[in-house]
Amino acid sequence: MKVGKLLFSEKEIETKVHALARQISHDYQGKELLCIGILKGAFMFFPDLVRRLNFSVTIDFIAASSYKGTESSGELSLHSLHQEKIENKHVLLIEDIIDTGESLKSILNILAKQNPASLEICCLLSKRIRRSVEIETKYIGFEIDDQFAVGYGLDWEGKFRNLPSICRAVAERGE
Ligand code: IMP
Ligand code: MG
């Protein structure tokens, strides 16, 4: 695979991240919020978002992976790095992209058992037409159709995460 057409420029991403941060700042004002970033995909989105929040939050991370190439392997491997107690806290999961929803569903199920005060999701990208499980997503940056996106944290087989913009990944001979 190689990098194809630009989907979202650095400027468009920045504007969207600011809008999300404004909305989250408004919704959680006066509450104790724990932001949990899902690695590795959220490694750029997470810091860009939390530094724009206008109140103090605590942070933690979870590492999860389910993809092989451009198809989900269906099996989620979760390496929990998270150490913060989430009981009675408002928790916001911060993720790069939601595709079938399977990964986030598994993570939600695990975290819900730890009795958070609330548990919501903030995803930069969403492929709604690919969803195979019902999942409520409170904050979504951009909706995209069924295509494979790379850059700004999103990878194809571990590559392209460091691109500053989001592009379509295409076969070597495609565009
Ligand atoms: P889901 O479980 O099918 O929702 O898959 C979600 C995970 O798959 C995301 O956290 C990403 O790591 C990965 N993923 C899904 N679609 C894409 C894509 O277009 N580009 C890069 N990674 C993707
Ligand atoms: Mg990923």
Side-chain angles (χ1 to χ4, degrees):
M1 296 288 257
K2 65 175 186 182
V3 175
K5 192 178 136 239
L6 177 75
L7 294 175
F8 304 106
S9 68
E10 282 181 74
K11 188 73 210 159
E12 286 171 301
I13 296 168
E14 192 189 331
T15 305
K16 183 63 76 177
V17 171
H18 284 196
L20 288 170
R22 251 197 314 278
Q23 206 184 330
I24 294 166
S25 297
H26 170 266
D27 294 351
Y28 288 93
Q29 209 54 247
K31 292 183 175 158
E32 201 181 326
L33 180 64
L34 169 62
C35 294
I36 302 182
I38 303 176
L39 296 173
K40 299 173 187 167
F43 94 99
M44 278 199 196
F45 178 42
F46 184 91
D48 284 354
L49 183 72
V50 297
R51 78 174 129 199
R52 295 287 169 192
L53 299 175
N54 68 5
F55 63 108
S56 176
V57 298
T58 49
I59 63 158
D60 216 335
F61 297 96
I62 286 173
S65 59
S66 73
Y67 259 64
K68 284 210 170 71
T70 59
E71 278 304 312
S72 176
S73 67
E75 256 173 61
L76 184 80
S77 59
L78 245 194
H79 317 274
S80 182
L81 310 172
H82 100 92
Q83 297 170 330
E84 296 282 334
K85 287 239 178 317
I86 71 172
E87 197 172 349
N88 298 325
K89 283 189 191 155
H90 295 281
V91 175
L92 183 61
L93 281 174
I94 299 176
E95 168 72 309
D96 55 353
I97 187 165
I98 176 167
D99 183 21
T100 64
E102 302 275 357
S103 317
L104 272 171
K105 192 82 186 177
S106 313
I107 295 171
L108 282 179
N109 287 342
I110 294 166
L111 296 182
K113 291 191 185 122
Q114 299 168 31
N115 295 320
S118 68
L119 184 53
E120 301 289 354
I121 292 168
C122 176
C123 267
L124 183 62
L125 295 171
S126 162
K127 297 186 206 174
R128 192 172 298 283
I129 57 165
R130 295 253 311 159
R131 212 78 90 240
S132 61
V133 290
E134 265 309 308
I135 191 160
E136 209 180 299
T137 43
K138 191 164 187 191
Y139 307 99
I140 293 288
F142 304 104
E143 277 294 339
I144 61 170
D145 53 17
D146 190 3
Q147 54 189 319
F148 204 76
V150 292
Y152 195 70
L154 294 148
D155 72 305
W156 170 74
E157 297 203 337
K159 293 184 194 156
F160 311 124
R161 287 196 201 275
N162 61 314
L163 280 177
S165 56
I166 298 174
C167 297
R168 180 185 291 179
V170 291
E172 282 298 332
R173 287 182 204 177
E175 45 172 294

